[in-house]
Amino acid sequence: MSERTPLLHYRLSTSVNEQSGEHQPCLPREAVEQSPAFSRRKSAHHSRPKKLSTFFGVVIPTLLSMFSVVVFLRIGFVVGQCGLYQAIAMFLVAYFIISMTVLSVCAISTNGALDAGGAYYMISRALGPEFGGSLGVMFFLANVCSSALYILGLVEAIVATFGLPEDGVSPAGSLQVLPAGYWWSLLYATGILLLCLLVCLVGAEIYAKASFIIFLVVMLVLATIFISFFAVRPRTILLPAAPPILNGTGPQPPTMANFTGFKLNTLLGNLDADYAVDYTTGTMMSFATVFAVMFNGCTGIMAGSNMSGDLKNPSYSIPRGTITAVIFTFIIYNLLSLMVACSCDRILLQRDYSFLRDINVWNPLVTVGVYSSTMSAAMSNLIGASRILYALARDDLFGTVLSPAKKTSGNGNPWVSVLLSWFLVQLVLFTGKLNTIASIVTIFFLLVYAAVDLACLALEWASAPNFRPTFRYFTWHTCVLGIVGCAVMMFLINSIYASASIAFMLLLLLLIHYLSPTSSWGYISQALIFHQVRKYLLMLDVRKDHVKFWRPQVLLMVSNPRSSVGLITFINDIKKSGLYVLGHVQLGDLDTLPSDPLQCRYDSWLSLVDHLNIKAFVNLTLADSVRHGVQHLLFISGLGGMRPNTLVLGFYDDCTPKDKLTDPALADATVPTQDPEDERPPYHFPALRVSIDGKEEGNGENGKVMGPQEYVAVIADAMKMMKNVALARYFHQFDRASTISSSPGKGALYVDVWPVNLLRPDSSSYVDTCSLFLLQLACVLNMVRAWRHARLRLFLCVEEGRSLRGSEGKLGQLLKELRIKANVYTVPWDQQVAFPSNATRLSDEYLSAVNRLILEQAHPPPAVRFLYLPRPPADTRRYTAYLRQLELLTKDLGPTLLIHGVTPVLTTDL
């Protein structure tokens, strides 16, 4: 084996993770080999060599698990209760369900390297930790219960052969010497389980050797059974003692039954169903209860998959071995059903589950076959359960609860998992009867099979490029049929057990979702979401946009999140389920850099989004200037019909920024994660520099990253691109939690709206596009749950000589038509407009007077103000003066949005 083999195995084992379509950063070979995860995998790879071939590791365990109880102890029970027609129909339904699941197993297992855990590994790596972990627990419990079921079947066979009669007197020369009864049966089952435990503690290799010997015995017994139908003459068989009839009344059950050999009358008598009381449990049988018992003969299809961690080549062995075993057992079951129906009368089939022993050419041989097959099936499920538990523990989905189960012996055998599985099987043995737990086991397996089909269906529907299994004989139709078949049969067998199992699985799913650490396996949900979003984005036609359905889609430029937390959370409230993008410009030239410096920063920004609990995308760009960077983002942000229509910028001033990002998980340092295998880049945002605003940070220089001229040019550029613009000032003072919680009662929170262009005292219009845009944004904010109790205050500036009541009435009527609830206040501003000013130059006295006017109306002070933002002047030489006017106008106003709208956003039409 070459030195590259361990690395190749490491990459292949993560191939299913990549199916979600998420970007996986590629580490250099040296980094991978030096990582703790690689070291553990490498050491495990060498210390735990995989030795089992397709035949020994898959075919034999699957055959023995599927033959076990049904072929020797329940084939007559199925035909006797259901008749040949329904028995064959049952096998067709059962094998149709498992065939659909086998196709899904083959597809997933050939899509990358498998590790220990079998079906759990497939489901968890395809559907993610929540579904994988919850269904892994269900599959573990299914194997535990199934192991107990096989052991109880073996005890039933032993007691039927060697158990004392009910009177306690053994006939002379008889082998019936073992005491019978519940506690004695429990003792025998415990002893058999201990023997299985010893074999499983030694390891998978000794189990494979023991299984091969048992396989040879079972094949020999099956051969003699088929020969016996032709070689043995008709005979009368003594039936086991039946349970006493209630009150001693009614006809007594027969004590004798016939093996007739091949006769047409016998076949005709066994064609139709004749459900009767099960003589071992005393309960009336039905199609559902018989199917539950019969289906246990089909649940062994995962026996080979459970050994995936011990196979030489799981992707090669699992499909071929499982399909071979399924076809072989299907043929044998149907042949046996036909021969039994042709040669045994119904009383024999219903009243003696061990009749194959009585009609065999050599009676003890069937007994040996029963003992061998059921013992092997019990061991197979016990070792399978231990491997699933070991895989669950190794994935740390349940924290420290399962950490002891990670321990392995020198040859890699998870002995603690084996012991824990043994203990749970022992608890199940207290149920005492095989048919009692058959329904539970069947429902658990059906649930797992449906999950495997669901995993394959999700991978197929996600259309992920990395899902390209070498096994191609499946489609999404086979997956759906498998899921529907499993679901229908679950509820037909026992609707209460099925509902309880699903509820238990969902409870585990929620538990894992909230308590387990983030995994690196990949989430199929992300691939499915991508697939659906792409489809619906193509259907979102911008030519069909209408003002009735307008919503804000915001690009918020953020230089450093440390000083922008208040603004980020506020804009999240105002987006009204629209697109929300956090944009950031990194100054630099890619020609002079060895690689893109932004790729390693996305994790920090996405973690910020999670930390602040906002619904936003992140878009970073590299540019030679902030202005060019904002242009890039306005051009490229969004997709199809989801593009930003509103640009939000922090205000250009000299306010001292405050660091609001106090979460240590987002500190400017490398933070070790909980999982040592998690090698995410550290969270990092630059430290704030005193007296420099958020837009002045990030380039490592002492000066601001852009001047006032460029800042106003950015505003002008956005308006030229038909984007609405909002300038946010004093939002470093805004704290959403304290603002919302500080209003104990309705009406204590205010939002002030000034819809008049205060820089144009000669124009007092409040019905232009920009004014209506202000009203719309204020209304949107008021519709958010947290702001629903806030009151909108609308201030209307009027001059003396005009009808104050008339102006207020007109605005009130407009608000009524627009369905906006607000209190309108008229504010005389004759004193302010009296200052010498004109349209081209506003005096500082005027601006200061208007600023004082706004402050005087703030009783009580609002949480936020919305002001009219005029267009920048056409003459670029006046950009600096324009910015100074805005600064004087908004001085000391607290959190304020200066807003300019360029598109109609309101309508009175339906």
Side-chain angles (χ1 to χ4, degrees), residues 1 9 40-52 114-117 121 203-204 306-312 386-387 390-391 394 405-414:
M1 185 177 293
H9 172 71
R40 281 194 292 275
R41 291 175 182 265
K42 186 173 180 179
S43 60
H45 179 83
H46 288 291
S47 64
R48 203 172 25 146
K50 299 179 179 182
K51 299 179 179 180
L52 302 182
L114 286 178
D115 209 336
Y121 189 87
N306 291 344
M307 302 297 294
S308 58
D310 300 289
L311 298 173
K312 289 181 181 177
S386 67
R387 294 316 191 257
Y390 171 67
R394 197 177 57 179
K406 298 179 185 178
K407 296 181 181 179
T408 59
S409 60
N411 62 352
N413 187 33

mmCIF file of all heavy atoms in Angstrom, residues 1 9 40-52 114-117 121 203-204 306-312 386-387 390-391 394 405-414:
data_model
loop_
_atom_site.group_PDB
_atom_site.id
_atom_site.type_symbol
_atom_site.label_atom_id
_atom_site.label_comp_id
_atom_site.label_asym_id
_atom_site.label_seq_id
_atom_site.Cartn_x
_atom_site.Cartn_y
_atom_site.Cartn_z
ATOM 1 N N MET A 1 0.853 -1.202 0.000
ATOM 2 C CA MET A 1 0.000 0.000 0.000
ATOM 3 C C MET A 1 0.881 1.242 0.000
ATOM 4 O O MET A 1 1.807 1.359 0.778
ATOM 5 C CB MET A 1 -0.911 -0.013 1.230
ATOM 6 C CG MET A 1 -1.910 1.132 1.248
ATOM 7 S SD MET A 1 -3.026 1.027 2.671
ATOM 8 C CE MET A 1 -3.936 -0.457 2.235
ATOM 9 N N HIS A 9 -8.068 7.693 1.397
ATOM 10 C CA HIS A 9 -9.211 7.230 2.184
ATOM 11 C C HIS A 9 -9.871 8.394 2.910
ATOM 12 O O HIS A 9 -11.091 8.473 2.992
ATOM 13 C CB HIS A 9 -8.768 6.166 3.180
ATOM 14 C CG HIS A 9 -9.832 5.771 4.151
ATOM 15 N ND1 HIS A 9 -10.942 5.038 3.790
ATOM 16 C CD2 HIS A 9 -9.970 6.049 5.475
ATOM 17 C CE1 HIS A 9 -11.707 4.849 4.834
ATOM 18 N NE2 HIS A 9 -11.156 5.463 5.874
ATOM 19 N N ARG A 40 -5.975 10.798 13.751
ATOM 20 C CA ARG A 40 -6.821 9.757 14.323
ATOM 21 C C ARG A 40 -7.282 8.796 13.252
ATOM 22 O O ARG A 40 -7.304 7.584 13.456
ATOM 23 C CB ARG A 40 -8.029 10.395 15.015
ATOM 24 C CG ARG A 40 -7.694 10.949 16.381
ATOM 25 C CD ARG A 40 -8.980 11.243 17.136
ATOM 26 N NE ARG A 40 -9.721 12.348 16.545
ATOM 27 C CZ ARG A 40 -9.476 13.613 16.842
ATOM 28 N NH1 ARG A 40 -8.523 13.939 17.683
ATOM 29 N NH2 ARG A 40 -10.184 14.572 16.283
ATOM 30 N N ARG A 41 -7.681 9.340 12.085
ATOM 31 C CA ARG A 41 -8.135 8.460 11.016
ATOM 32 C C ARG A 41 -7.005 7.564 10.506
ATOM 33 O O ARG A 41 -7.189 6.407 10.209
ATOM 34 C CB ARG A 41 -8.691 9.291 9.842
ATOM 35 C CG ARG A 41 -9.995 9.996 10.180
ATOM 36 C CD ARG A 41 -10.414 10.889 9.036
ATOM 37 N NE ARG A 41 -11.619 11.606 9.364
ATOM 38 C CZ ARG A 41 -12.833 11.214 9.045
ATOM 39 N NH1 ARG A 41 -13.000 10.082 8.418
ATOM 40 N NH2 ARG A 41 -13.894 11.934 9.371
ATOM 41 N N LYS A 42 -5.813 8.150 10.431
ATOM 42 C CA LYS A 42 -4.685 7.387 9.927
ATOM 43 C C LYS A 42 -4.317 6.257 10.872
ATOM 44 O O LYS A 42 -4.096 5.117 10.455
ATOM 45 C CB LYS A 42 -3.491 8.328 9.716
ATOM 46 C CG LYS A 42 -2.295 7.647 9.057
ATOM 47 C CD LYS A 42 -1.218 8.678 8.733
ATOM 48 C CE LYS A 42 -0.024 8.008 8.064
ATOM 49 N NZ LYS A 42 1.007 8.976 7.723
ATOM 50 N N SER A 43 -4.292 6.578 12.181
ATOM 51 C CA SER A 43 -3.951 5.547 13.146
ATOM 52 C C SER A 43 -5.024 4.474 13.178
ATOM 53 O O SER A 43 -4.734 3.277 13.299
ATOM 54 C CB SER A 43 -3.785 6.162 14.537
ATOM 55 O OG SER A 43 -4.993 6.775 14.945
ATOM 56 N N ALA A 44 -6.295 4.920 13.055
ATOM 57 C CA ALA A 44 -7.377 3.942 13.046
ATOM 58 C C ALA A 44 -7.305 3.058 11.813
ATOM 59 O O ALA A 44 -7.600 1.864 11.860
ATOM 60 C CB ALA A 44 -8.731 4.657 13.102
ATOM 61 N N HIS A 45 -6.884 3.660 10.703
ATOM 62 C CA HIS A 45 -6.807 2.911 9.455
ATOM 63 C C HIS A 45 -5.773 1.792 9.565
ATOM 64 O O HIS A 45 -5.980 0.685 9.073
ATOM 65 C CB HIS A 45 -6.444 3.866 8.319
ATOM 66 C CG HIS A 45 -6.313 3.182 6.986
ATOM 67 N ND1 HIS A 45 -7.403 2.900 6.190
ATOM 68 C CD2 HIS A 45 -5.227 2.718 6.321
ATOM 69 C CE1 HIS A 45 -6.994 2.307 5.081
ATOM 70 N NE2 HIS A 45 -5.682 2.192 5.139
ATOM 71 N N HIS A 46 -4.643 2.066 10.226
ATOM 72 C CA HIS A 46 -3.593 1.059 10.327
ATOM 73 C C HIS A 46 -3.858 0.082 11.451
ATOM 74 O O HIS A 46 -3.512 -1.095 11.350
ATOM 75 C CB HIS A 46 -2.242 1.750 10.535
ATOM 76 C CG HIS A 46 -1.749 2.455 9.308
ATOM 77 N ND1 HIS A 46 -1.346 1.786 8.179
ATOM 78 C CD2 HIS A 46 -1.622 3.784 9.024
ATOM 79 C CE1 HIS A 46 -0.964 2.662 7.253
ATOM 80 N NE2 HIS A 46 -1.133 3.885 7.748
ATOM 81 N N SER A 47 -4.467 0.558 12.550
ATOM 82 C CA SER A 47 -4.674 -0.322 13.689
ATOM 83 C C SER A 47 -5.897 -1.212 13.509
ATOM 84 O O SER A 47 -6.058 -2.182 14.222
ATOM 85 C CB SER A 47 -4.834 0.506 14.965
ATOM 86 O OG SER A 47 -5.995 1.301 14.880
ATOM 87 N N ARG A 48 -6.784 -0.887 12.549
ATOM 88 C CA ARG A 48 -7.994 -1.655 12.388
ATOM 89 C C ARG A 48 -8.134 -2.068 10.929
ATOM 90 O O ARG A 48 -8.937 -1.523 10.186
ATOM 91 C CB ARG A 48 -9.197 -0.829 12.817
ATOM 92 C CG ARG A 48 -10.382 -1.647 13.210
ATOM 93 C CD ARG A 48 -11.452 -0.788 13.799
ATOM 94 N NE ARG A 48 -11.390 0.586 13.357
ATOM 95 C CZ ARG A 48 -12.467 1.335 13.175
ATOM 96 N NH1 ARG A 48 -13.649 0.861 13.402
ATOM 97 N NH2 ARG A 48 -12.341 2.586 12.805
ATOM 98 N N PRO A 49 -7.339 -3.007 10.446
ATOM 99 C CA PRO A 49 -7.391 -3.395 9.049
ATOM 100 C C PRO A 49 -8.740 -4.031 8.705
ATOM 101 O O PRO A 49 -9.331 -4.745 9.517
ATOM 102 C CB PRO A 49 -6.247 -4.409 8.923
ATOM 103 C CG PRO A 49 -6.052 -4.939 10.304
ATOM 104 C CD PRO A 49 -6.367 -3.807 11.217
ATOM 105 N N LYS A 50 -9.219 -3.778 7.513
ATOM 106 C CA LYS A 50 -10.489 -4.332 7.060
ATOM 107 C C LYS A 50 -10.195 -5.625 6.300
ATOM 108 O O LYS A 50 -9.460 -5.616 5.322
ATOM 109 C CB LYS A 50 -11.213 -3.314 6.179
ATOM 110 C CG LYS A 50 -11.529 -2.026 6.925
ATOM 111 C CD LYS A 50 -12.234 -1.029 6.029
ATOM 112 C CE LYS A 50 -12.559 0.238 6.791
ATOM 113 N NZ LYS A 50 -13.272 1.218 5.981
ATOM 114 N N LYS A 51 -10.838 -6.730 6.743
ATOM 115 C CA LYS A 51 -10.432 -8.034 6.237
ATOM 116 C C LYS A 51 -11.540 -8.799 5.516
ATOM 117 O O LYS A 51 -11.246 -9.755 4.814
ATOM 118 C CB LYS A 51 -9.936 -8.897 7.404
ATOM 119 C CG LYS A 51 -8.730 -8.330 8.140
ATOM 120 C CD LYS A 51 -8.312 -9.235 9.288
ATOM 121 C CE LYS A 51 -7.089 -8.664 10.008
ATOM 122 N NZ LYS A 51 -6.666 -9.525 11.135
ATOM 123 N N LEU A 52 -12.807 -8.447 5.706
ATOM 124 C CA LEU A 52 -13.893 -9.289 5.242
ATOM 125 C C LEU A 52 -14.212 -9.033 3.779
ATOM 126 O O LEU A 52 -14.281 -7.894 3.332
ATOM 127 C CB LEU A 52 -15.139 -9.053 6.097
ATOM 128 C CG LEU A 52 -14.975 -9.312 7.599
ATOM 129 C CD1 LEU A 52 -16.286 -9.091 8.327
ATOM 130 C CD2 LEU A 52 -14.452 -10.713 7.856
ATOM 131 N N LEU A 114 -17.367 4.121 2.664
ATOM 132 C CA LEU A 114 -18.185 3.981 3.860
ATOM 133 C C LEU A 114 -17.307 3.691 5.062
ATOM 134 O O LEU A 114 -16.264 3.052 4.950
ATOM 135 C CB LEU A 114 -19.190 2.835 3.691
ATOM 136 C CG LEU A 114 -20.383 3.091 2.772
ATOM 137 C CD1 LEU A 114 -21.242 1.837 2.696
ATOM 138 C CD2 LEU A 114 -21.205 4.248 3.265
ATOM 139 N N ASP A 115 -17.773 4.157 6.212
ATOM 140 C CA ASP A 115 -17.093 3.855 7.462
ATOM 141 C C ASP A 115 -18.022 3.001 8.315
ATOM 142 O O ASP A 115 -19.095 2.597 7.883
ATOM 143 C CB ASP A 115 -16.710 5.152 8.181
ATOM 144 C CG ASP A 115 -15.458 4.980 9.039
ATOM 145 O OD1 ASP A 115 -15.173 3.842 9.426
ATOM 146 O OD2 ASP A 115 -14.774 5.994 9.298
ATOM 147 N N ALA A 116 -17.627 2.739 9.556
ATOM 148 C CA ALA A 116 -18.437 1.914 10.442
ATOM 149 C C ALA A 116 -19.784 2.578 10.695
ATOM 150 O O ALA A 116 -19.892 3.793 10.762
ATOM 151 C CB ALA A 116 -17.695 1.692 11.761
ATOM 152 N N GLY A 117 -20.814 1.750 10.846
ATOM 153 C CA GLY A 117 -22.139 2.270 11.152
ATOM 154 C C GLY A 117 -23.200 1.908 10.152
ATOM 155 O O GLY A 117 -24.378 2.057 10.418
ATOM 156 N N TYR A 121 -24.474 5.409 9.066
ATOM 157 C CA TYR A 121 -23.456 6.233 8.403
ATOM 158 C C TYR A 121 -24.021 6.821 7.107
ATOM 159 O O TYR A 121 -23.809 7.997 6.803
ATOM 160 C CB TYR A 121 -22.215 5.393 8.121
ATOM 161 C CG TYR A 121 -21.035 6.190 7.630
ATOM 162 C CD1 TYR A 121 -20.155 6.777 8.516
ATOM 163 C CD2 TYR A 121 -20.804 6.365 6.269
ATOM 164 C CE1 TYR A 121 -19.073 7.513 8.071
ATOM 165 C CE2 TYR A 121 -19.730 7.099 5.816
ATOM 166 C CZ TYR A 121 -18.860 7.664 6.723
ATOM 167 O OH TYR A 121 -17.796 8.404 6.273
ATOM 168 N N GLY A 203 -14.460 -10.350 18.413
ATOM 169 C CA GLY A 203 -14.303 -9.459 17.261
ATOM 170 C C GLY A 203 -14.993 -9.966 16.022
ATOM 171 O O GLY A 203 -15.556 -11.071 15.984
ATOM 172 N N ALA A 204 -14.955 -9.130 14.970
ATOM 173 C CA ALA A 204 -15.678 -9.426 13.735
ATOM 174 C C ALA A 204 -15.085 -10.622 12.997
ATOM 175 O O ALA A 204 -15.799 -11.351 12.316
ATOM 176 C CB ALA A 204 -15.663 -8.200 12.819
ATOM 177 N N ASN A 306 -24.172 -3.200 8.084
ATOM 178 C CA ASN A 306 -23.695 -2.948 9.440
ATOM 179 C C ASN A 306 -22.228 -3.295 9.616
ATOM 180 O O ASN A 306 -21.558 -2.772 10.509
ATOM 181 C CB ASN A 306 -24.520 -3.747 10.447
ATOM 182 C CG ASN A 306 -25.938 -3.240 10.559
ATOM 183 O OD1 ASN A 306 -26.242 -2.131 10.129
ATOM 184 N ND2 ASN A 306 -26.821 -4.042 11.123
ATOM 185 N N MET A 307 -21.725 -4.169 8.767
ATOM 186 C CA MET A 307 -20.323 -4.576 8.848
ATOM 187 C C MET A 307 -19.429 -3.718 7.970
ATOM 188 O O MET A 307 -18.283 -4.074 7.712
ATOM 189 C CB MET A 307 -20.189 -6.057 8.423
ATOM 190 C CG MET A 307 -21.020 -7.029 9.238
ATOM 191 S SD MET A 307 -20.534 -7.051 10.970
ATOM 192 C CE MET A 307 -18.880 -7.720 10.814
ATOM 193 N N SER A 308 -19.943 -2.577 7.504
ATOM 194 C CA SER A 308 -19.194 -1.751 6.548
ATOM 195 C C SER A 308 -17.815 -1.366 7.065
ATOM 196 O O SER A 308 -16.866 -1.234 6.294
ATOM 197 C CB SER A 308 -19.997 -0.482 6.218
ATOM 198 O OG SER A 308 -20.269 0.257 7.400
ATOM 199 N N GLY A 309 -17.685 -1.172 8.363
ATOM 200 C CA GLY A 309 -16.380 -0.796 8.921
ATOM 201 C C GLY A 309 -15.378 -1.917 8.924
ATOM 202 O O GLY A 309 -14.186 -1.692 9.141
ATOM 203 N N ASP A 310 -15.834 -3.165 8.678
ATOM 204 C CA ASP A 310 -14.934 -4.315 8.702
ATOM 205 C C ASP A 310 -14.745 -4.936 7.320
ATOM 206 O O ASP A 310 -14.124 -5.996 7.199
ATOM 207 C CB ASP A 310 -15.481 -5.383 9.663
ATOM 208 C CG ASP A 310 -15.608 -4.867 11.081
ATOM 209 O OD1 ASP A 310 -14.567 -4.673 11.722
ATOM 210 O OD2 ASP A 310 -16.743 -4.638 11.532
ATOM 211 N N LEU A 311 -15.298 -4.313 6.281
ATOM 212 C CA LEU A 311 -15.185 -4.857 4.927
ATOM 213 C C LEU A 311 -13.946 -4.319 4.230
ATOM 214 O O LEU A 311 -13.505 -3.205 4.481
ATOM 215 C CB LEU A 311 -16.428 -4.498 4.111
ATOM 216 C CG LEU A 311 -17.767 -5.055 4.620
ATOM 217 C CD1 LEU A 311 -18.914 -4.474 3.799
ATOM 218 C CD2 LEU A 311 -17.777 -6.576 4.539
ATOM 219 N N LYS A 312 -13.402 -5.139 3.318
ATOM 220 C CA LYS A 312 -12.261 -4.674 2.524
ATOM 221 C C LYS A 312 -12.668 -3.524 1.615
ATOM 222 O O LYS A 312 -11.972 -2.531 1.502
ATOM 223 C CB LYS A 312 -11.721 -5.841 1.683
ATOM 224 C CG LYS A 312 -10.997 -6.930 2.465
ATOM 225 C CD LYS A 312 -10.496 -8.011 1.515
ATOM 226 C CE LYS A 312 -9.776 -9.123 2.276
ATOM 227 N NZ LYS A 312 -9.354 -10.219 1.374
ATOM 228 N N SER A 386 -23.880 -3.014 18.150
ATOM 229 C CA SER A 386 -22.678 -2.446 18.774
ATOM 230 C C SER A 386 -21.934 -1.526 17.819
ATOM 231 O O SER A 386 -21.410 -0.486 18.234
ATOM 232 C CB SER A 386 -21.752 -3.574 19.239
ATOM 233 O OG SER A 386 -21.226 -4.293 18.136
ATOM 234 N N ARG A 387 -21.913 -1.881 16.531
ATOM 235 C CA ARG A 387 -21.219 -1.024 15.553
ATOM 236 C C ARG A 387 -21.969 0.292 15.351
ATOM 237 O O ARG A 387 -21.351 1.347 15.166
ATOM 238 C CB ARG A 387 -21.080 -1.750 14.212
ATOM 239 C CG ARG A 387 -20.185 -2.984 14.209
ATOM 240 C CD ARG A 387 -18.912 -2.761 14.971
ATOM 241 N NE ARG A 387 -17.933 -3.808 14.786
ATOM 242 C CZ ARG A 387 -17.666 -4.773 15.669
ATOM 243 N NH1 ARG A 387 -18.337 -4.814 16.814
ATOM 244 N NH2 ARG A 387 -16.729 -5.674 15.441
ATOM 245 N N TYR A 390 -21.298 2.400 18.418
ATOM 246 C CA TYR A 390 -19.924 2.917 18.363
ATOM 247 C C TYR A 390 -19.843 4.108 17.409
ATOM 248 O O TYR A 390 -19.184 5.121 17.713
ATOM 249 C CB TYR A 390 -18.983 1.801 17.912
ATOM 250 C CG TYR A 390 -17.579 2.253 17.604
ATOM 251 C CD1 TYR A 390 -16.740 2.722 18.604
ATOM 252 C CD2 TYR A 390 -17.085 2.214 16.296
ATOM 253 C CE1 TYR A 390 -15.443 3.133 18.322
ATOM 254 C CE2 TYR A 390 -15.802 2.624 16.010
ATOM 255 C CZ TYR A 390 -14.988 3.082 17.023
ATOM 256 O OH TYR A 390 -13.708 3.503 16.742
ATOM 257 N N ALA A 391 -20.510 4.005 16.261
ATOM 258 C CA ALA A 391 -20.499 5.118 15.304
ATOM 259 C C ALA A 391 -21.204 6.347 15.879
ATOM 260 O O ALA A 391 -20.754 7.477 15.707
ATOM 261 C CB ALA A 391 -21.171 4.678 13.994
ATOM 262 N N ARG A 394 -18.836 7.903 18.418
ATOM 263 C CA ARG A 394 -17.683 8.549 17.793
ATOM 264 C C ARG A 394 -18.043 9.880 17.147
ATOM 265 O O ARG A 394 -17.216 10.779 17.054
ATOM 266 C CB ARG A 394 -17.092 7.601 16.746
ATOM 267 C CG ARG A 394 -15.679 7.959 16.328
ATOM 268 C CD ARG A 394 -15.142 6.945 15.353
ATOM 269 N NE ARG A 394 -15.989 6.816 14.185
ATOM 270 C CZ ARG A 394 -15.708 6.001 13.167
ATOM 271 N NH1 ARG A 394 -14.633 5.245 13.220
ATOM 272 N NH2 ARG A 394 -16.511 5.923 12.132
ATOM 273 N N ALA A 405 -18.692 4.528 24.989
ATOM 274 C CA ALA A 405 -18.851 3.576 23.893
ATOM 275 C C ALA A 405 -17.796 3.736 22.812
ATOM 276 O O ALA A 405 -17.726 2.932 21.880
ATOM 277 C CB ALA A 405 -20.244 3.719 23.277
ATOM 278 N N LYS A 406 -16.946 4.770 22.907
ATOM 279 C CA LYS A 406 -15.882 4.961 21.912
ATOM 280 C C LYS A 406 -14.715 4.002 22.127
ATOM 281 O O LYS A 406 -13.891 3.825 21.233
ATOM 282 C CB LYS A 406 -15.344 6.395 21.978
ATOM 283 C CG LYS A 406 -16.345 7.480 21.658
ATOM 284 C CD LYS A 406 -15.679 8.835 21.780
ATOM 285 C CE LYS A 406 -16.640 9.980 21.600
ATOM 286 N NZ LYS A 406 -15.985 11.291 21.759
ATOM 287 N N LYS A 407 -14.621 3.423 23.314
ATOM 288 C CA LYS A 407 -13.445 2.619 23.638
ATOM 289 C C LYS A 407 -13.404 1.351 22.794
ATOM 290 O O LYS A 407 -14.418 0.694 22.578
ATOM 291 C CB LYS A 407 -13.451 2.267 25.116
ATOM 292 C CG LYS A 407 -13.329 3.480 26.036
ATOM 293 C CD LYS A 407 -13.327 3.075 27.498
ATOM 294 C CE LYS A 407 -13.217 4.305 28.409
ATOM 295 N NZ LYS A 407 -13.235 3.932 29.843
ATOM 296 N N THR A 408 -12.220 1.028 22.322
ATOM 297 C CA THR A 408 -12.032 -0.169 21.513
ATOM 298 C C THR A 408 -10.873 -0.986 22.073
ATOM 299 O O THR A 408 -10.037 -0.487 22.829
ATOM 300 C CB THR A 408 -11.728 0.195 20.050
ATOM 301 O OG1 THR A 408 -10.526 0.998 20.002
ATOM 302 C CG2 THR A 408 -12.877 0.961 19.425
ATOM 303 N N SER A 409 -10.838 -2.254 21.673
ATOM 304 C CA SER A 409 -9.740 -3.121 22.075
ATOM 305 C C SER A 409 -8.556 -2.919 21.136
ATOM 306 O O SER A 409 -8.600 -2.090 20.222
ATOM 307 C CB SER A 409 -10.201 -4.574 22.052
ATOM 308 O OG SER A 409 -10.620 -4.919 20.736
ATOM 309 N N GLY A 410 -7.508 -3.692 21.350
ATOM 310 C CA GLY A 410 -6.315 -3.531 20.520
ATOM 311 C C GLY A 410 -6.562 -3.795 19.057
ATOM 312 O O GLY A 410 -5.924 -3.202 18.188
ATOM 313 N N ASN A 411 -7.498 -4.714 18.723
ATOM 314 C CA ASN A 411 -7.774 -5.009 17.314
ATOM 315 C C ASN A 411 -8.916 -4.178 16.747
ATOM 316 O O ASN A 411 -9.441 -4.470 15.675
ATOM 317 C CB ASN A 411 -8.083 -6.504 17.154
ATOM 318 C CG ASN A 411 -9.321 -6.918 17.922
ATOM 319 O OD1 ASN A 411 -9.874 -6.124 18.700
ATOM 320 N ND2 ASN A 411 -9.749 -8.149 17.727
ATOM 321 N N GLY A 412 -9.324 -3.135 17.498
ATOM 322 C CA GLY A 412 -10.346 -2.221 16.991
ATOM 323 C C GLY A 412 -11.773 -2.621 17.307
ATOM 324 O O GLY A 412 -12.706 -1.999 16.801
ATOM 325 N N ASN A 413 -11.993 -3.634 18.135
ATOM 326 C CA ASN A 413 -13.348 -4.066 18.475
ATOM 327 C C ASN A 413 -13.933 -3.158 19.557
ATOM 328 O O ASN A 413 -13.356 -3.024 20.645
ATOM 329 C CB ASN A 413 -13.325 -5.517 18.974
ATOM 330 C CG ASN A 413 -14.718 -6.071 19.179
ATOM 331 O OD1 ASN A 413 -15.651 -5.714 18.465
ATOM 332 N ND2 ASN A 413 -14.869 -6.949 20.159
ATOM 333 N N PRO A 414 -15.076 -2.513 19.320
ATOM 334 C CA PRO A 414 -15.669 -1.611 20.321
ATOM 335 C C PRO A 414 -16.340 -2.399 21.446
ATOM 336 O O PRO A 414 -17.559 -2.532 21.501
ATOM 337 C CB PRO A 414 -16.677 -0.805 19.505
ATOM 338 C CG PRO A 414 -17.083 -1.717 18.406
ATOM 339 C CD PRO A 414 -15.870 -2.535 18.069
#
